[in-house]
């Protein structure tokens, strides 16, 4: 399965996906890495791994629709079948999400539906929860509300700061995202017509 990874920065989750698809058992290959910002470290990670990269700089587009349309053209150019958002920080339009419905995966640093939006780890600390974690979900038009594919929990430890908790959650992300990608790329998990997760238990 041909996969595109969309990034905006360092791409630590991209690195985890690069390592995963290298394994002989993987059902996926990364055809292209697309960044909405030039010169970010994630682009260097992709190049080092021999993966083609494209920059689609959102600042150069007059509208979200034109920006998303260019992303869509790059995905079609590379024959992409699945898209992973790995720290991609632009909200995607409904038109784009509808076209790629069931083929768009995102990793979020909380146990959704808790703590949606930005600074989820800080929200968890401020809420005083004792368990935090990450969620891989299909992207829906409503932000951080898509059907859940995989989650991994981590403990919140006494003395945790936003940084120490974020580091612990990030380690979980690097396990959960590759695992979720394999489930979807291998056809074990899909998005049903009703917007719920479907499992192909015969696999
Ligand atoms: N429609 C749809 N698109 C998304 C795009 C990215 C992400 C990744 N997680 C994200 C969640 C939130 C944001 C956010 O609020 N950023 C500040 C505003 C940036 C902007 O103006 O674009 C970005 C990415 C998730 C979604 C999603 O759940 N649904």
């Amino acid at each position: 399965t041909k996969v595109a990874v969309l990034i905006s920065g360092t791409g630590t989750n991209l690195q985890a996906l690069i390592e995963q698809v290298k394994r002989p058992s993987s059902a996926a290959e990364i055809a292209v890495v697309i960044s909405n910002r030039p010169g970010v470290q994630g682009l260097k990670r992709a190049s080092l791994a021999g993966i083609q990269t494209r920059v689609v700089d959102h600042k150069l587009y007059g509208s979200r629709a034109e920006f998303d349309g260019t992303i869509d053209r790059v995905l079609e150019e590379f024959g992409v079948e699945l898209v992973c958002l790995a720290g991609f920080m632009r909200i995607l339009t409904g038109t784009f999400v509808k076209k790629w419905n069931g083929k768009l995966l995102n990793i979020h640093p909380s146990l959704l539906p808790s703590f949606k939006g930005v600074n989820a780890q800080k929200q968890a600390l401020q809420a005083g929860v004792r368990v935090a974690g990450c969620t891989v979900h299909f992207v829906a038009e409503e932000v951080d509300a898509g059907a859940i594919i995989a989650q991994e929990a981590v403990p919140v430890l006494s003395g945790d700061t936003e940084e120490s908790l974020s580091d612990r959650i990030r380690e979980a992300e690097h396990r959960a995202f590759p695992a979720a990608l394999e489930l979807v790329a291998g056809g074990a998990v899909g998005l049903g017509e009703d917007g719920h997760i479907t499992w192909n238990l015969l696999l």
Side-chain angles (χ1 to χ4, degrees):
T1 307
K2 287 195 165 200
V3 176
V5 183
L6 272 52
I7 62 169
S8 295
T10 51
T12 62
N13 271 293
L14 164 65
Q15 191 61 46
L17 295 175
I18 289 172
E19 302 306 325
Q20 172 61 33
V21 303
K22 273 181 188 163
R23 302 159 75 104
S25 61
S26 177
E29 64 167 301
I30 301 175
V32 61
V33 169
I34 305 172
S35 175
N36 69 300
R37 293 173 57 215
V40 294
Q41 191 184 350
L43 290 168
K44 296 184 184 69
R45 292 179 191 275
S47 301
L48 273 176
I51 300 168
Q52 294 202 70
T53 62
R54 289 285 189 285
V55 174
V56 181
D57 186 343
H58 64 282
K59 295 195 181 73
L60 306 181
Y61 294 86
S63 72
R64 283 184 190 273
E66 283 165 316
F67 170 73
D68 288 6
T70 305
I71 300 267
D72 181 60
R73 258 195 312 286
V74 174
L75 297 175
E76 297 291 2
E77 176 194 336
F78 283 87
V80 167
E81 298 161 283
L82 277 181
V83 183
C84 291
L85 306 185
F88 184 70
M89 293 316 286
R90 299 295 298 173
I91 301 297
L92 295 162
T93 58
T95 307
F96 181 91
V97 171
K98 278 189 192 72
K99 174 173 179 182
W100 292 92
N101 195 35
K103 301 187 180 311
L104 266 174
L105 283 65
N106 179 52
I107 182 105
H108 182 77
S110 79
L111 295 175
L112 290 173
S114 296
F115 314 131
K116 296 181 181 181
V118 292
N119 64 41
Q121 305 92 332
K122 188 175 189 178
Q123 294 179 55
L125 273 180
Q126 288 174 338
V129 295
R130 309 313 300 153
V131 177
C134 63
T135 302
V136 186
H137 63 93
F138 283 112
V139 171
E141 198 167 340
E142 183 188 346
V143 175
D144 298 334
I148 292 169
I149 301 164
Q151 294 187 304
E152 182 172 324
V154 304
V156 179
L157 304 175
S158 58
D160 257 339
T161 61
E162 188 179 345
E163 186 181 3
S164 61
L165 179 58
S166 297
D167 289 344
R168 194 171 310 117
I169 293 172
R170 200 169 301 111
E171 284 169 17
E173 290 177 18
H174 297 168
R175 290 187 292 272
F177 211 172
L181 173 59
E182 291 300 336
L183 284 173
V184 179
V189 167
L191 187 62
E193 287 306 308
D194 58 357
H196 294 120
I197 289 289
T198 58
W199 282 82
N200 181 341
L201 297 178
L202 299 178
L203 283 180

